[in-house]
Amino acid sequence: MDFGSLLTAMVTPFDENNRINLERTTELIEYLLDHGTDGLIIAGTTGESPTLSFDEKLALFNHVVTVVNGRVPVVAGTGNNNTEASIRLTQEAEKIGVDAALLVTPYYNKPNQEGLYQHFKTVANETKLPIMLYNIPSRAIVRLTVETIVSLSQIDNIVSVKDSSGDLDAISSILEQVSEDFTVYSGDDSLTLPIQSIGGTGVVSVASHVIGTEMKEMIMAFEAGEVKQAAKLHRKLLPIMKALFMAPSPSPVKAALRYQQLNVGSVRLPLVPLSPFEEQNLYRLLDTYK
């Protein structure tokens, strides 16, 4: 299922007391839609899902669905390492009217491939929502193998994968074996163009908060056959993409948004804001780029 080529893994805006700020969320949504975003991933890693309560996630889902009002797909992060809890949140998100669910590989429990398969299959069987798998071994420890992703792709409503493994060989194998309507998205900004070049659909992006227009231009240049221009844009944007991960995400991107006069607040513990030194390095790079 094609959700668009540039999906933004949206940060969750907080107020001065670190509560979700829905007014700032509205402002951020409009900003992103004006700067190339084709779809929104909410309450994912970048949205600080581990520190959002069940009720906060539902309030966020409801608000974003209302504000977006069908203009772009809204994909809700409803997965965690508890299968029953994932089912419940996914079902509630479906009632609210999100367009799809993003299900992360269960972290900490360390299930084997059969456990991973059964987890995703069980959640998928309890919802009519299209499901995007989220393969992120650097955070979850466990990794979906090519074989497991291909097997899961045969379940009717498992329609896509966000792959943050960084393994282009594995991603090539996935693309070779899944059906044409199963989409593969890069989970790493810096691999957007390489993954697109082997048949990927696009990217679930953090950097699009800051360079969304430029990233969309790069993707569209490649799709138009302007490969050298796309590569030139990739090289130009790469330092920004890398800088936004100089510290655990989303601390850098929230700092970058504030520097651009989009106040999305700070991060919740156990994450911490950038140090003054890190902030100055980030701001210097942003000034140089602009």
Side-chain angles (χ1 to χ4, degrees), residues 130-151:
I131 286 173
M132 177 185 285
L133 307 172
Y134 183 12
N135 190 29
I136 183 162
S138 65
R139 285 182 182 264
I141 305 300
V142 292
R143 169 181 179 152
L144 282 166
T145 64
V146 171
E147 294 74 19
T148 303
I149 291 173
V150 172
S151 295

Side-chain angles (χ1 to χ4, degrees), residues 28 47 83-84 86-87 124 126 128 168 171-172 174 178 190 197 211 215 230 240 250 271:
L28 179 61
T83 304
E84 287 300 319
S86 299
I87 290 169
E126 296 296 330
K128 292 185 173 63
L168 288 174
I171 294 167
S172 295
I174 292 165
V178 296
S190 61
S197 74
I211 48 173
M215 290 191 69
I240 301 285
L271 297 180

Side-chain angles (χ1 to χ4, degrees), residues 239-286:
I240 301 285
M241 296 173 180
K242 291 296 189 184
L244 292 174
F245 289 89
M246 64 167 58
S249 186
S251 298
V253 71
K254 280 195 160 183
L257 285 166
R258 289 195 300 273
Y259 192 59
Q260 293 184 167
Q261 309 305 312
L262 270 168
N263 187 0
V264 293
S266 188
V267 290
R268 285 179 173 176
L269 287 170
L271 297 180
V272 293
L274 297 187
S275 69
F277 177 73
E278 289 169 330
E279 270 193 350
Q280 289 309 309
N281 282 341
L282 177 60
Y283 297 163
R284 193 178 302 115
L285 183 62
L286 292 171

Side-chain angles (χ1 to χ4, degrees), residues 156-219:
D156 286 347
N157 59 329
I158 297 182
V159 298
S160 185
V161 63
K162 172 190 175 184
D163 198 294
S164 299
S165 68
D167 188 339
L168 288 174
D169 288 351
I171 294 167
S172 295
S173 295
I174 292 165
L175 285 160
E176 182 65 19
Q177 296 179 61
V178 296
S179 65
E180 286 189 7
D181 56 355
F182 185 88
T183 50
V184 177
Y185 286 87
S186 173
D188 300 293
D189 284 299
S190 61
L191 291 181
T192 303
L193 194 58
I195 288 176
Q196 205 178 4
S197 74
I198 57 173
T201 299
V203 62
V204 176
S205 174
V206 174
S208 54
H209 286 91
V210 180
I211 48 173
T213 302
E214 295 86 345
M215 290 191 69
K216 189 66 173 292
E217 183 184 353
M218 176 186 74
I219 290 168

Side-chain angles (χ1 to χ4, degrees), residues 106 109-119 142-144 148:
N109 315 43
K110 295 182 74 172
N112 61 17
Q113 292 302 306
E114 179 62 19
L116 290 169
Y117 177 84
Q118 293 297 337
H119 168 79
V142 292
R143 169 181 179 152
L144 282 166
T148 303

Side-chain angles (χ1 to χ4, degrees), residues 54-81:
F54 185 88
D55 289 340
E56 283 180 320
K57 288 177 182 177
L58 294 185
L60 182 65
F61 297 165
N62 188 67
H63 183 76
V64 175
V65 166
T66 300
V67 172
V68 170
N69 194 26
R71 288 178 288 171
V72 298
V74 174
V75 182
T78 60
N80 58 35
N81 63 345

